Amino acid sequence: MTAVLFDFSGTLFRIESTESWLRAVLAEADLALSEPELAKAVQALDAAGALPGGSPPTHVPEHLAEVWATRDSSAELHRAAYTGLSRQVPLPDPGLHDVLYDRHRTPAAWAPYPDAVEVLRSLRERGIAVGVVSNIGWDLRPVFREHDLDPYVDAYVLSYEHGIQKPDARLFAAACEALGTDPRDALMVGDDRRADGGAAALGIGVHFVDHLPVTERPDGLRPVLDLVG
C-alpha cells in the first residue's frame, strides 16, 4: 500500500451539532430565542438537512431536487442547496440562513476525530502518501491547517474544484494521479458506502467508518494502520 485516501466529513472530521451551530450564529447576530423556540428550530433544521455534514434531509423539496443532486459539483450549487433547505425553517432574521451556511465553513464548526492526528502521523512516518477526497462546495484546507492536520496531507481533491462528485471514479483517479500512486496500491477510507465505495471501480481498496459524533468514535480510524501493513 502506497497511499491512503480519506473522506473529510464523518471520516476525519465531524461537524458541530445543529444546536451548537444555531446558537453560535444567534450569538454572533445578538439575537435570542427562548429555549422552546430554539429546540423547535433545531429539530426543524435537522429534519430539513440544512447543516452540511449533519443529518440528511428527510425530504428534499421538488424545486431543490436537481440542485441537491449536483450540490457538490460547484460552490454556487452547494450554497444554493443548503441555504435552500435552511430557508424552509423560519428564523428571527432571514439573513441568518446565509450566516448559518458561512458558519459551517469555519474551522470552529469542525472537530477532528480523536485518533485522526495519530493515524495521519503514523502514515507519514511509514512513508505512505495521504490524500483527502471530499464531496464539498468550499475550501476545507483552512480547517486542516487550524487543527494541525495539514502537514500530514499530500493532496486535496475536492469535488467542487473538479466539477465531479463521488462516486464518479474520475475523482479518485485524480487523487491517485496527484499522489503518484497506482490505484491498486491505494486505500479509500470513508463513511458513505455509495459515494466512497465508488473508489472500488478503479481497484482501490475501500474501508468504511461509522459517521458518529466525535465523542462516540474514539478509535474508528486506527484499523487503517493495520490494513496498510
Side-chain angles (χ1 to χ4, degrees), residues 4-14 113 115 119 187-193 196 206-212 216-217 219-225 227:
V4 179
L5 312 177
F6 289 94
D7 174 50
F8 167 56
S9 174
T11 300
L12 290 175
F13 282 83
R14 175 68 188 237
Y113 282 95
D115 55 346
V119 170
L187 175 70
M188 176 67 204
V189 182
D191 67 304
D192 187 319
R193 277 166 168 72
D196 300 313
V206 181
H207 176 69
F208 296 109
V209 294
D210 294 321
H211 186 110
L212 293 170
E216 296 177 24
R217 210 193 77 194
D219 55 6
L221 291 168
R222 287 187 184 137
V224 171
L225 299 178
L227 291 170

PDB file of all heavy atoms in Angstrom, residues 4-14 113 115 119 187-193 196 206-212 216-217 219-225 227:
ATOM      1  N   VAL A   4      -3.158   6.352   1.079  1.00  0.00           N
ATOM      2  CA  VAL A   4      -4.485   6.244   1.683  1.00  0.00           C
ATOM      3  C   VAL A   4      -5.245   7.520   1.368  1.00  0.00           C
ATOM      4  O   VAL A   4      -4.736   8.630   1.573  1.00  0.00           O
ATOM      5  CB  VAL A   4      -4.422   6.031   3.205  1.00  0.00           C
ATOM      6  CG1 VAL A   4      -5.835   5.939   3.787  1.00  0.00           C
ATOM      7  CG2 VAL A   4      -3.648   4.770   3.547  1.00  0.00           C
ATOM      8  N   LEU A   5      -6.457   7.352   0.854  1.00  0.00           N
ATOM      9  CA  LEU A   5      -7.346   8.465   0.569  1.00  0.00           C
ATOM     10  C   LEU A   5      -8.402   8.516   1.669  1.00  0.00           C
ATOM     11  O   LEU A   5      -8.977   7.491   2.027  1.00  0.00           O
ATOM     12  CB  LEU A   5      -8.026   8.275  -0.796  1.00  0.00           C
ATOM     13  CG  LEU A   5      -7.125   7.889  -1.966  1.00  0.00           C
ATOM     14  CD1 LEU A   5      -7.967   7.679  -3.222  1.00  0.00           C
ATOM     15  CD2 LEU A   5      -6.055   8.938  -2.189  1.00  0.00           C
ATOM     16  N   PHE A   6      -8.644   9.700   2.189  1.00  0.00           N
ATOM     17  CA  PHE A   6      -9.631   9.866   3.245  1.00  0.00           C
ATOM     18  C   PHE A   6     -10.741  10.815   2.806  1.00  0.00           C
ATOM     19  O   PHE A   6     -10.475  11.860   2.198  1.00  0.00           O
ATOM     20  CB  PHE A   6      -8.996  10.471   4.503  1.00  0.00           C
ATOM     21  CG  PHE A   6      -8.087   9.550   5.254  1.00  0.00           C
ATOM     22  CD1 PHE A   6      -6.721   9.557   5.017  1.00  0.00           C
ATOM     23  CD2 PHE A   6      -8.585   8.696   6.230  1.00  0.00           C
ATOM     24  CE1 PHE A   6      -5.867   8.727   5.721  1.00  0.00           C
ATOM     25  CE2 PHE A   6      -7.744   7.858   6.944  1.00  0.00           C
ATOM     26  CZ  PHE A   6      -6.382   7.870   6.687  1.00  0.00           C
ATOM     27  N   ASP A   7     -11.959  10.466   3.148  1.00  0.00           N
ATOM     28  CA  ASP A   7     -13.071  11.410   3.087  1.00  0.00           C
ATOM     29  C   ASP A   7     -12.862  12.433   4.208  1.00  0.00           C
ATOM     30  O   ASP A   7     -12.081  12.208   5.149  1.00  0.00           O
ATOM     31  CB  ASP A   7     -14.377  10.634   3.261  1.00  0.00           C
ATOM     32  CG  ASP A   7     -15.592  11.537   3.363  1.00  0.00           C
ATOM     33  OD1 ASP A   7     -15.747  12.415   2.498  1.00  0.00           O
ATOM     34  OD2 ASP A   7     -16.370  11.366   4.314  1.00  0.00           O
ATOM     35  N   PHE A   8     -13.578  13.525   4.142  1.00  0.00           N
ATOM     36  CA  PHE A   8     -13.469  14.595   5.148  1.00  0.00           C
ATOM     37  C   PHE A   8     -14.548  14.464   6.223  1.00  0.00           C
ATOM     38  O   PHE A   8     -14.301  14.001   7.331  1.00  0.00           O
ATOM     39  CB  PHE A   8     -13.563  15.955   4.444  1.00  0.00           C
ATOM     40  CG  PHE A   8     -13.782  17.145   5.355  1.00  0.00           C
ATOM     41  CD1 PHE A   8     -12.919  17.425   6.389  1.00  0.00           C
ATOM     42  CD2 PHE A   8     -14.865  18.003   5.141  1.00  0.00           C
ATOM     43  CE1 PHE A   8     -13.114  18.526   7.223  1.00  0.00           C
ATOM     44  CE2 PHE A   8     -15.074  19.104   5.951  1.00  0.00           C
ATOM     45  CZ  PHE A   8     -14.199  19.372   6.997  1.00  0.00           C
ATOM     46  N   SER A   9     -15.770  14.848   5.889  1.00  0.00           N
ATOM     47  CA  SER A   9     -16.859  14.910   6.866  1.00  0.00           C
ATOM     48  C   SER A   9     -17.332  13.517   7.262  1.00  0.00           C
ATOM     49  O   SER A   9     -17.687  12.701   6.414  1.00  0.00           O
ATOM     50  CB  SER A   9     -18.032  15.704   6.281  1.00  0.00           C
ATOM     51  OG  SER A   9     -19.143  15.664   7.142  1.00  0.00           O
ATOM     52  N   GLY A  10     -17.323  13.245   8.556  1.00  0.00           N
ATOM     53  CA  GLY A  10     -17.750  11.955   9.066  1.00  0.00           C
ATOM     54  C   GLY A  10     -16.651  10.914   9.048  1.00  0.00           C
ATOM     55  O   GLY A  10     -16.862   9.789   9.496  1.00  0.00           O
ATOM     56  N   THR A  11     -15.487  11.295   8.537  1.00  0.00           N
ATOM     57  CA  THR A  11     -14.351  10.367   8.471  1.00  0.00           C
ATOM     58  C   THR A  11     -13.169  10.892   9.268  1.00  0.00           C
ATOM     59  O   THR A  11     -12.763  10.294  10.257  1.00  0.00           O
ATOM     60  CB  THR A  11     -13.955  10.105   7.013  1.00  0.00           C
ATOM     61  OG1 THR A  11     -15.073   9.538   6.316  1.00  0.00           O
ATOM     62  CG2 THR A  11     -12.770   9.144   6.927  1.00  0.00           C
ATOM     63  N   LEU A  12     -12.607  12.015   8.848  1.00  0.00           N
ATOM     64  CA  LEU A  12     -11.532  12.645   9.617  1.00  0.00           C
ATOM     65  C   LEU A  12     -12.059  13.704  10.574  1.00  0.00           C
ATOM     66  O   LEU A  12     -11.497  13.906  11.663  1.00  0.00           O
ATOM     67  CB  LEU A  12     -10.513  13.284   8.677  1.00  0.00           C
ATOM     68  CG  LEU A  12      -9.640  12.328   7.864  1.00  0.00           C
ATOM     69  CD1 LEU A  12      -8.774  13.121   6.885  1.00  0.00           C
ATOM     70  CD2 LEU A  12      -8.760  11.471   8.780  1.00  0.00           C
ATOM     71  N   PHE A  13     -13.116  14.385  10.172  1.00  0.00           N
ATOM     72  CA  PHE A  13     -13.703  15.462  10.978  1.00  0.00           C
ATOM     73  C   PHE A  13     -15.202  15.244  11.121  1.00  0.00           C
ATOM     74  O   PHE A  13     -15.835  14.580  10.296  1.00  0.00           O
ATOM     75  CB  PHE A  13     -13.490  16.822  10.303  1.00  0.00           C
ATOM     76  CG  PHE A  13     -12.117  17.407  10.458  1.00  0.00           C
ATOM     77  CD1 PHE A  13     -11.088  17.019   9.608  1.00  0.00           C
ATOM     78  CD2 PHE A  13     -11.853  18.365  11.424  1.00  0.00           C
ATOM     79  CE1 PHE A  13      -9.825  17.566   9.730  1.00  0.00           C
ATOM     80  CE2 PHE A  13     -10.587  18.924  11.547  1.00  0.00           C
ATOM     81  CZ  PHE A  13      -9.568  18.524  10.696  1.00  0.00           C
ATOM     82  N   ARG A  14     -15.766  15.877  12.131  1.00  0.00           N
ATOM     83  CA  ARG A  14     -17.220  15.867  12.314  1.00  0.00           C
ATOM     84  C   ARG A  14     -17.682  17.304  12.571  1.00  0.00           C
ATOM     85  O   ARG A  14     -17.060  18.052  13.333  1.00  0.00           O
ATOM     86  CB  ARG A  14     -17.600  14.973  13.496  1.00  0.00           C
ATOM     87  CG  ARG A  14     -19.083  14.981  13.856  1.00  0.00           C
ATOM     88  CD  ARG A  14     -19.953  14.337  12.793  1.00  0.00           C
ATOM     89  NE  ARG A  14     -21.369  14.535  13.100  1.00  0.00           N
ATOM     90  CZ  ARG A  14     -22.254  13.557  13.252  1.00  0.00           C
ATOM     91  NH1 ARG A  14     -21.869  12.298  13.126  1.00  0.00           N
ATOM     92  NH2 ARG A  14     -23.511  13.821  13.516  1.00  0.00           N
ATOM     93  N   TYR A 113     -11.698  13.756  14.599  1.00  0.00           N
ATOM     94  CA  TYR A 113     -11.896  12.586  15.448  1.00  0.00           C
ATOM     95  C   TYR A 113     -10.642  12.381  16.296  1.00  0.00           C
ATOM     96  O   TYR A 113      -9.534  12.739  15.872  1.00  0.00           O
ATOM     97  CB  TYR A 113     -12.202  11.360  14.599  1.00  0.00           C
ATOM     98  CG  TYR A 113     -13.636  11.346  14.119  1.00  0.00           C
ATOM     99  CD1 TYR A 113     -13.992  11.851  12.871  1.00  0.00           C
ATOM    100  CD2 TYR A 113     -14.661  10.856  14.939  1.00  0.00           C
ATOM    101  CE1 TYR A 113     -15.318  11.855  12.443  1.00  0.00           C
ATOM    102  CE2 TYR A 113     -15.986  10.858  14.515  1.00  0.00           C
ATOM    103  CZ  TYR A 113     -16.310  11.356  13.276  1.00  0.00           C
ATOM    104  OH  TYR A 113     -17.620  11.375  12.869  1.00  0.00           O
ATOM    105  N   ASP A 115      -8.578  10.102  17.049  1.00  0.00           N
ATOM    106  CA  ASP A 115      -7.408   9.367  16.561  1.00  0.00           C
ATOM    107  C   ASP A 115      -6.905   9.850  15.210  1.00  0.00           C
ATOM    108  O   ASP A 115      -5.981   9.259  14.648  1.00  0.00           O
ATOM    109  CB  ASP A 115      -7.724   7.873  16.498  1.00  0.00           C
ATOM    110  CG  ASP A 115      -8.965   7.556  15.662  1.00  0.00           C
ATOM    111  OD1 ASP A 115      -9.728   8.501  15.355  1.00  0.00           O
ATOM    112  OD2 ASP A 115      -9.174   6.379  15.321  1.00  0.00           O
ATOM    113  N   VAL A 119      -3.281   8.685  13.476  1.00  0.00           N
ATOM    114  CA  VAL A 119      -3.276   7.847  12.268  1.00  0.00           C
ATOM    115  C   VAL A 119      -2.559   8.536  11.123  1.00  0.00           C
ATOM    116  O   VAL A 119      -1.724   7.926  10.428  1.00  0.00           O
ATOM    117  CB  VAL A 119      -4.720   7.471  11.889  1.00  0.00           C
ATOM    118  CG1 VAL A 119      -4.768   6.813  10.506  1.00  0.00           C
ATOM    119  CG2 VAL A 119      -5.318   6.531  12.940  1.00  0.00           C
ATOM    120  N   LEU A 187      -5.833   2.845  -0.723  1.00  0.00           N
ATOM    121  CA  LEU A 187      -6.985   2.509   0.112  1.00  0.00           C
ATOM    122  C   LEU A 187      -7.826   3.761   0.281  1.00  0.00           C
ATOM    123  O   LEU A 187      -7.285   4.838   0.547  1.00  0.00           O
ATOM    124  CB  LEU A 187      -6.527   2.024   1.489  1.00  0.00           C
ATOM    125  CG  LEU A 187      -7.619   1.736   2.534  1.00  0.00           C
ATOM    126  CD1 LEU A 187      -8.414   0.488   2.150  1.00  0.00           C
ATOM    127  CD2 LEU A 187      -6.999   1.570   3.924  1.00  0.00           C
ATOM    128  N   MET A 188      -9.151   3.648   0.117  1.00  0.00           N
ATOM    129  CA  MET A 188     -10.075   4.757   0.359  1.00  0.00           C
ATOM    130  C   MET A 188     -10.790   4.514   1.674  1.00  0.00           C
ATOM    131  O   MET A 188     -11.365   3.441   1.892  1.00  0.00           O
ATOM    132  CB  MET A 188     -11.096   4.866  -0.781  1.00  0.00           C
ATOM    133  CG  MET A 188     -12.166   5.935  -0.580  1.00  0.00           C
ATOM    134  SD  MET A 188     -11.478   7.610  -0.609  1.00  0.00           S
ATOM    135  CE  MET A 188     -12.711   8.518   0.336  1.00  0.00           C
ATOM    136  N   VAL A 189     -10.774   5.518   2.547  1.00  0.00           N
ATOM    137  CA  VAL A 189     -11.433   5.423   3.848  1.00  0.00           C
ATOM    138  C   VAL A 189     -12.554   6.456   3.894  1.00  0.00           C
ATOM    139  O   VAL A 189     -12.304   7.654   3.706  1.00  0.00           O
ATOM    140  CB  VAL A 189     -10.435   5.675   4.994  1.00  0.00           C
ATOM    141  CG1 VAL A 189     -11.136   5.527   6.351  1.00  0.00           C
ATOM    142  CG2 VAL A 189      -9.243   4.728   4.897  1.00  0.00           C
ATOM    143  N   GLY A 190     -13.772   6.003   4.120  1.00  0.00           N
ATOM    144  CA  GLY A 190     -14.896   6.937   4.148  1.00  0.00           C
ATOM    145  C   GLY A 190     -16.062   6.391   4.945  1.00  0.00           C
ATOM    146  O   GLY A 190     -16.029   5.258   5.442  1.00  0.00           O
ATOM    147  N   ASP A 191     -17.112   7.194   5.031  1.00  0.00           N
ATOM    148  CA  ASP A 191     -18.291   6.808   5.821  1.00  0.00           C
ATOM    149  C   ASP A 191     -19.532   6.591   4.958  1.00  0.00           C
ATOM    150  O   ASP A 191     -20.578   6.196   5.475  1.00  0.00           O
ATOM    151  CB  ASP A 191     -18.596   7.882   6.864  1.00  0.00           C
ATOM    152  CG  ASP A 191     -19.043   9.191   6.222  1.00  0.00           C
ATOM    153  OD1 ASP A 191     -18.296   9.726   5.385  1.00  0.00           O
ATOM    154  OD2 ASP A 191     -20.147   9.667   6.545  1.00  0.00           O
ATOM    155  N   ASP A 192     -19.428   6.855   3.662  1.00  0.00           N
ATOM    156  CA  ASP A 192     -20.576   6.757   2.760  1.00  0.00           C
ATOM    157  C   ASP A 192     -20.348   5.611   1.770  1.00  0.00           C
ATOM    158  O   ASP A 192     -19.479   5.690   0.898  1.00  0.00           O
ATOM    159  CB  ASP A 192     -20.750   8.086   2.015  1.00  0.00           C
ATOM    160  CG  ASP A 192     -22.023   8.144   1.185  1.00  0.00           C
ATOM    161  OD1 ASP A 192     -22.362   7.134   0.534  1.00  0.00           O
ATOM    162  OD2 ASP A 192     -22.674   9.216   1.161  1.00  0.00           O
ATOM    163  N   ARG A 193     -21.129   4.546   1.917  1.00  0.00           N
ATOM    164  CA  ARG A 193     -20.899   3.365   1.097  1.00  0.00           C
ATOM    165  C   ARG A 193     -21.101   3.621  -0.390  1.00  0.00           C
ATOM    166  O   ARG A 193     -20.423   3.016  -1.227  1.00  0.00           O
ATOM    167  CB  ARG A 193     -21.780   2.213   1.597  1.00  0.00           C
ATOM    168  CG  ARG A 193     -21.139   1.503   2.774  1.00  0.00           C
ATOM    169  CD  ARG A 193     -22.066   0.589   3.523  1.00  0.00           C
ATOM    170  NE  ARG A 193     -21.299  -0.250   4.446  1.00  0.00           N
ATOM    171  CZ  ARG A 193     -20.723   0.193   5.571  1.00  0.00           C
ATOM    172  NH1 ARG A 193     -20.816   1.469   5.896  1.00  0.00           N
ATOM    173  NH2 ARG A 193     -20.055  -0.631   6.355  1.00  0.00           N
ATOM    174  N   ASP A 196     -18.151   6.882  -1.314  1.00  0.00           N
ATOM    175  CA  ASP A 196     -16.763   6.447  -1.141  1.00  0.00           C
ATOM    176  C   ASP A 196     -16.519   5.085  -1.761  1.00  0.00           C
ATOM    177  O   ASP A 196     -15.403   4.772  -2.183  1.00  0.00           O
ATOM    178  CB  ASP A 196     -16.411   6.447   0.349  1.00  0.00           C
ATOM    179  CG  ASP A 196     -16.553   7.839   0.966  1.00  0.00           C
ATOM    180  OD1 ASP A 196     -16.058   8.802   0.354  1.00  0.00           O
ATOM    181  OD2 ASP A 196     -17.176   7.965   2.030  1.00  0.00           O
ATOM    182  N   VAL A 206     -11.327  -0.363  -0.215  1.00  0.00           N
ATOM    183  CA  VAL A 206     -12.255   0.544   0.478  1.00  0.00           C
ATOM    184  C   VAL A 206     -12.474   0.073   1.909  1.00  0.00           C
ATOM    185  O   VAL A 206     -12.683  -1.129   2.152  1.00  0.00           O
ATOM    186  CB  VAL A 206     -13.610   0.626  -0.256  1.00  0.00           C
ATOM    187  CG1 VAL A 206     -14.537   1.586   0.453  1.00  0.00           C
ATOM    188  CG2 VAL A 206     -13.413   1.057  -1.712  1.00  0.00           C
ATOM    189  N   HIS A 207     -12.414   1.004   2.829  1.00  0.00           N
ATOM    190  CA  HIS A 207     -12.678   0.720   4.247  1.00  0.00           C
ATOM    191  C   HIS A 207     -13.645   1.775   4.759  1.00  0.00           C
ATOM    192  O   HIS A 207     -13.438   2.975   4.550  1.00  0.00           O
ATOM    193  CB  HIS A 207     -11.381   0.770   5.059  1.00  0.00           C
ATOM    194  CG  HIS A 207     -11.596   0.592   6.527  1.00  0.00           C
ATOM    195  ND1 HIS A 207     -11.994  -0.598   7.089  1.00  0.00           N
ATOM    196  CD2 HIS A 207     -11.484   1.484   7.555  1.00  0.00           C
ATOM    197  CE1 HIS A 207     -12.103  -0.459   8.405  1.00  0.00           C
ATOM    198  NE2 HIS A 207     -11.803   0.791   8.710  1.00  0.00           N
ATOM    199  N   PHE A 208     -14.698   1.319   5.443  1.00  0.00           N
ATOM    200  CA  PHE A 208     -15.715   2.248   5.930  1.00  0.00           C
ATOM    201  C   PHE A 208     -15.628   2.442   7.432  1.00  0.00           C
ATOM    202  O   PHE A 208     -15.322   1.509   8.191  1.00  0.00           O
ATOM    203  CB  PHE A 208     -17.119   1.745   5.565  1.00  0.00           C
ATOM    204  CG  PHE A 208     -17.367   1.697   4.087  1.00  0.00           C
ATOM    205  CD1 PHE A 208     -17.448   0.483   3.418  1.00  0.00           C
ATOM    206  CD2 PHE A 208     -17.503   2.869   3.359  1.00  0.00           C
ATOM    207  CE1 PHE A 208     -17.673   0.432   2.051  1.00  0.00           C
ATOM    208  CE2 PHE A 208     -17.714   2.828   1.990  1.00  0.00           C
ATOM    209  CZ  PHE A 208     -17.799   1.616   1.338  1.00  0.00           C
ATOM    210  N   VAL A 209     -15.907   3.686   7.852  1.00  0.00           N
ATOM    211  CA  VAL A 209     -16.009   4.024   9.273  1.00  0.00           C
ATOM    212  C   VAL A 209     -17.429   4.506   9.539  1.00  0.00           C
ATOM    213  O   VAL A 209     -18.167   4.860   8.614  1.00  0.00           O
ATOM    214  CB  VAL A 209     -14.994   5.115   9.676  1.00  0.00           C
ATOM    215  CG1 VAL A 209     -13.569   4.598   9.547  1.00  0.00           C
ATOM    216  CG2 VAL A 209     -15.175   6.379   8.832  1.00  0.00           C
ATOM    217  N   ASP A 210     -17.806   4.530  10.805  1.00  0.00           N
ATOM    218  CA  ASP A 210     -19.145   4.963  11.176  1.00  0.00           C
ATOM    219  C   ASP A 210     -19.208   6.483  11.310  1.00  0.00           C
ATOM    220  O   ASP A 210     -18.333   7.098  11.935  1.00  0.00           O
ATOM    221  CB  ASP A 210     -19.571   4.330  12.504  1.00  0.00           C
ATOM    222  CG  ASP A 210     -19.725   2.820  12.396  1.00  0.00           C
ATOM    223  OD1 ASP A 210     -20.228   2.363  11.347  1.00  0.00           O
ATOM    224  OD2 ASP A 210     -19.338   2.103  13.336  1.00  0.00           O
ATOM    225  N   HIS A 211     -20.252   7.075  10.745  1.00  0.00           N
ATOM    226  CA  HIS A 211     -20.475   8.525  10.836  1.00  0.00           C
ATOM    227  C   HIS A 211     -21.120   8.809  12.193  1.00  0.00           C
ATOM    228  O   HIS A 211     -22.339   8.845  12.318  1.00  0.00           O
ATOM    229  CB  HIS A 211     -21.385   8.968   9.686  1.00  0.00           C
ATOM    230  CG  HIS A 211     -21.569  10.449   9.591  1.00  0.00           C
ATOM    231  ND1 HIS A 211     -21.038  11.198   8.568  1.00  0.00           N
ATOM    232  CD2 HIS A 211     -22.212  11.334  10.391  1.00  0.00           C
ATOM    233  CE1 HIS A 211     -21.363  12.468   8.732  1.00  0.00           C
ATOM    234  NE2 HIS A 211     -22.078  12.567   9.830  1.00  0.00           N
ATOM    235  N   LEU A 212     -20.288   9.004  13.200  1.00  0.00           N
ATOM    236  CA  LEU A 212     -20.757   9.199  14.572  1.00  0.00           C
ATOM    237  C   LEU A 212     -20.204  10.496  15.133  1.00  0.00           C
ATOM    238  O   LEU A 212     -19.194  11.020  14.648  1.00  0.00           O
ATOM    239  CB  LEU A 212     -20.286   8.039  15.461  1.00  0.00           C
ATOM    240  CG  LEU A 212     -20.886   6.663  15.185  1.00  0.00           C
ATOM    241  CD1 LEU A 212     -20.142   5.600  15.987  1.00  0.00           C
ATOM    242  CD2 LEU A 212     -22.365   6.644  15.522  1.00  0.00           C
ATOM    243  N   GLU A 216     -18.260   9.702  20.351  1.00  0.00           N
ATOM    244  CA  GLU A 216     -18.720   8.316  20.274  1.00  0.00           C
ATOM    245  C   GLU A 216     -17.840   7.439  19.375  1.00  0.00           C
ATOM    246  O   GLU A 216     -18.111   6.253  19.208  1.00  0.00           O
ATOM    247  CB  GLU A 216     -20.168   8.274  19.759  1.00  0.00           C
ATOM    248  CG  GLU A 216     -21.166   8.943  20.696  1.00  0.00           C
ATOM    249  CD  GLU A 216     -22.571   8.952  20.130  1.00  0.00           C
ATOM    250  OE1 GLU A 216     -22.887   8.083  19.282  1.00  0.00           O
ATOM    251  OE2 GLU A 216     -23.362   9.830  20.528  1.00  0.00           O
ATOM    252  N   ARG A 217     -16.774   8.031  18.803  1.00  0.00           N
ATOM    253  CA  ARG A 217     -15.899   7.238  17.939  1.00  0.00           C
ATOM    254  C   ARG A 217     -14.445   7.595  18.214  1.00  0.00           C
ATOM    255  O   ARG A 217     -13.795   8.303  17.453  1.00  0.00           O
ATOM    256  CB  ARG A 217     -16.248   7.501  16.460  1.00  0.00           C
ATOM    257  CG  ARG A 217     -15.977   6.297  15.545  1.00  0.00           C
ATOM    258  CD  ARG A 217     -16.029   6.685  14.084  1.00  0.00           C
ATOM    259  NE  ARG A 217     -14.811   7.380  13.679  1.00  0.00           N
ATOM    260  CZ  ARG A 217     -14.668   8.065  12.547  1.00  0.00           C
ATOM    261  NH1 ARG A 217     -15.672   8.167  11.707  1.00  0.00           N
ATOM    262  NH2 ARG A 217     -13.521   8.663  12.246  1.00  0.00           N
ATOM    263  N   ASP A 219     -11.698   5.680  18.316  1.00  0.00           N
ATOM    264  CA  ASP A 219     -10.608   4.964  17.641  1.00  0.00           C
ATOM    265  C   ASP A 219     -11.042   4.289  16.346  1.00  0.00           C
ATOM    266  O   ASP A 219     -10.478   3.279  15.946  1.00  0.00           O
ATOM    267  CB  ASP A 219      -9.995   3.934  18.590  1.00  0.00           C
ATOM    268  CG  ASP A 219     -11.044   2.977  19.163  1.00  0.00           C
ATOM    269  OD1 ASP A 219     -12.217   3.050  18.737  1.00  0.00           O
ATOM    270  OD2 ASP A 219     -10.684   2.162  20.034  1.00  0.00           O
ATOM    271  N   GLY A 220     -12.024   4.874  15.666  1.00  0.00           N
ATOM    272  CA  GLY A 220     -12.533   4.268  14.442  1.00  0.00           C
ATOM    273  C   GLY A 220     -11.564   4.266  13.281  1.00  0.00           C
ATOM    274  O   GLY A 220     -11.722   3.486  12.336  1.00  0.00           O
ATOM    275  N   LEU A 221     -10.548   5.124  13.319  1.00  0.00           N
ATOM    276  CA  LEU A 221      -9.590   5.199  12.219  1.00  0.00           C
ATOM    277  C   LEU A 221      -8.378   4.288  12.414  1.00  0.00           C
ATOM    278  O   LEU A 221      -7.661   4.003  11.456  1.00  0.00           O
ATOM    279  CB  LEU A 221      -9.103   6.647  12.051  1.00  0.00           C
ATOM    280  CG  LEU A 221     -10.138   7.642  11.538  1.00  0.00           C
ATOM    281  CD1 LEU A 221      -9.623   9.070  11.700  1.00  0.00           C
ATOM    282  CD2 LEU A 221     -10.500   7.382  10.087  1.00  0.00           C
ATOM    283  N   ARG A 222      -8.147   3.826  13.606  1.00  0.00           N
ATOM    284  CA  ARG A 222      -6.931   3.052  13.883  1.00  0.00           C
ATOM    285  C   ARG A 222      -6.806   1.766  13.068  1.00  0.00           C
ATOM    286  O   ARG A 222      -5.688   1.366  12.718  1.00  0.00           O
ATOM    287  CB  ARG A 222      -6.832   2.763  15.384  1.00  0.00           C
ATOM    288  CG  ARG A 222      -6.454   4.010  16.166  1.00  0.00           C
ATOM    289  CD  ARG A 222      -6.195   3.746  17.613  1.00  0.00           C
ATOM    290  NE  ARG A 222      -5.935   5.025  18.301  1.00  0.00           N
ATOM    291  CZ  ARG A 222      -6.428   5.347  19.488  1.00  0.00           C
ATOM    292  NH1 ARG A 222      -7.221   4.493  20.115  1.00  0.00           N
ATOM    293  NH2 ARG A 222      -6.137   6.510  20.046  1.00  0.00           N
ATOM    294  N   PRO A 223      -7.918   1.084  12.728  1.00  0.00           N
ATOM    295  CA  PRO A 223      -7.777  -0.116  11.891  1.00  0.00           C
ATOM    296  C   PRO A 223      -7.092   0.147  10.553  1.00  0.00           C
ATOM    297  O   PRO A 223      -6.550  -0.788   9.942  1.00  0.00           O
ATOM    298  CB  PRO A 223      -9.231  -0.572  11.699  1.00  0.00           C
ATOM    299  CG  PRO A 223      -9.926  -0.098  12.935  1.00  0.00           C
ATOM    300  CD  PRO A 223      -9.294   1.226  13.229  1.00  0.00           C
ATOM    301  N   VAL A 224      -7.102   1.390  10.101  1.00  0.00           N
ATOM    302  CA  VAL A 224      -6.432   1.732   8.841  1.00  0.00           C
ATOM    303  C   VAL A 224      -4.959   1.369   8.903  1.00  0.00           C
ATOM    304  O   VAL A 224      -4.364   0.896   7.918  1.00  0.00           O
ATOM    305  CB  VAL A 224      -6.621   3.234   8.523  1.00  0.00           C
ATOM    306  CG1 VAL A 224      -5.755   3.646   7.346  1.00  0.00           C
ATOM    307  CG2 VAL A 224      -8.074   3.536   8.250  1.00  0.00           C
ATOM    308  N   LEU A 225      -4.342   1.556  10.056  1.00  0.00           N
ATOM    309  CA  LEU A 225      -2.909   1.273  10.196  1.00  0.00           C
ATOM    310  C   LEU A 225      -2.625  -0.209  10.010  1.00  0.00           C
ATOM    311  O   LEU A 225      -1.579  -0.582   9.474  1.00  0.00           O
ATOM    312  CB  LEU A 225      -2.409   1.765  11.556  1.00  0.00           C
ATOM    313  CG  LEU A 225      -2.553   3.274  11.794  1.00  0.00           C
ATOM    314  CD1 LEU A 225      -2.070   3.632  13.198  1.00  0.00           C
ATOM    315  CD2 LEU A 225      -1.776   4.064  10.741  1.00  0.00           C
ATOM    316  N   LEU A 227      -4.511  -2.188   8.127  1.00  0.00           N
ATOM    317  CA  LEU A 227      -4.832  -2.505   6.735  1.00  0.00           C
ATOM    318  C   LEU A 227      -3.694  -2.167   5.779  1.00  0.00           C
ATOM    319  O   LEU A 227      -3.489  -2.858   4.777  1.00  0.00           O
ATOM    320  CB  LEU A 227      -6.108  -1.755   6.307  1.00  0.00           C
ATOM    321  CG  LEU A 227      -7.403  -2.218   6.964  1.00  0.00           C
ATOM    322  CD1 LEU A 227      -8.546  -1.254   6.642  1.00  0.00           C
ATOM    323  CD2 LEU A 227      -7.771  -3.627   6.488  1.00  0.00           C
TER     324      LEU A 227
END
